[in-house]
Amino acid sequence: MTDTLFQLTFYLAAPFWALMILAPRWSVTPRVLASPWVTLLPLAVYLVVALPHFGELWRVVSQPDLPSLRAFLGQPYGAAAIWAHLVAFDLFLGRWMYFEARSLAVPAVPVSLILLLTIFLSPLGLIAFLAVRSAVGRRSRGPGRPVDAVAVNPAAAVMVPSWSTIRSTCSRRSIM
């Protein structure tokens, strides 16, 4: 059963990746991806695989050391659990990148290429996306114009305060 769940995990996420990569401008794509629950299917696999071994998993993550982690991941259930974890969080990250790129009007082709990289090597995909995001942000603001106080993702109706907004709010409240 663990082998089947391992194989199933990526296929549960693949339709969402396909929408972001192959049909980024299709009107259905942002509506489908608007819910953060798109990651629920791979997370369900994670729960099915990890919960029966929760005691062992908890020991590995609460007191991490390389031999214990290697032993856990060497088991079929450990490898399947970490795979489901990676697939779910990569999809969550890819979804954020998709909406962020749309809000910044980044062309679809580079975003699709970055999303492909993110599927296979998410840290490198994130670095590439942050570089593109930074370059596009500088270009769209122009010299001497400040960053907007709040970035809005209209497709998901998510308000994301900028770092300068957070910093100024915290300093006014004597938090920082």
Side-chain angles (χ1 to χ4, degrees):
M1 181 170 134
T2 303
D3 289 341
T4 303
L5 290 171
F6 177 86
Q7 295 297 324
L8 181 65
T9 302
F10 181 76
Y11 294 113
L12 294 172
F16 303 109
W17 284 109
L19 284 172
M20 290 186 289
I21 294 168
L22 301 174
R25 301 287 182 217
W26 186 32
S27 63
V28 173
T29 301
R31 288 197 314 248
V32 168
L33 294 169
S35 171
W37 292 103
V38 298
T39 60
L40 185 61
L41 295 174
L43 288 174
V45 172
Y46 174 81
L47 290 174
V48 168
V49 174
L51 283 180
H53 307 281
F54 184 75
E56 185 180 355
L57 174 61
W58 181 252
R59 279 190 299 279
V60 169
V61 298
S62 65
Q63 298 174 348
D65 64 70
L66 188 56
S68 297
L69 180 61
R70 186 174 46 230
F72 182 77
L73 295 178
Q75 299 300 317
Y77 57 82
I82 199 66
W83 179 245
H85 174 121
L86 289 170
V87 168
F89 280 95
D90 287 355
L91 180 57
F92 188 81
L93 176 63
R95 181 185 162 278
W96 171 78
M97 291 163 51
Y98 168 81
F99 281 120
E100 187 72 7
R102 285 181 58 93
S103 72
L104 294 170
V106 178
V109 172
V111 174
S112 292
L113 294 173
I114 290 171
L115 288 172
L116 274 173
L117 180 60
T118 303
I119 290 173
F120 297 108
L121 300 166
S122 61
L124 297 179
L126 178 58
I127 291 168
F129 180 76
L130 292 174
V132 168
R133 180 179 179 245
S134 177
V136 168
R138 277 194 308 273
R139 187 182 71 228
S140 66
R141 284 192 312 273
R145 288 185 48 202
V147 177
D148 294 332
V150 177
V152 178
N153 178 346
V158 175
M159 300 291 285
V160 182
S162 68
W163 175 244
S164 60
T165 302
I166 293 168
R167 192 174 51 234
S168 66
T169 302
C170 292
S171 64
R172 283 195 304 264
R173 293 184 183 155
S174 300
I175 294 173
M176 290 180 93

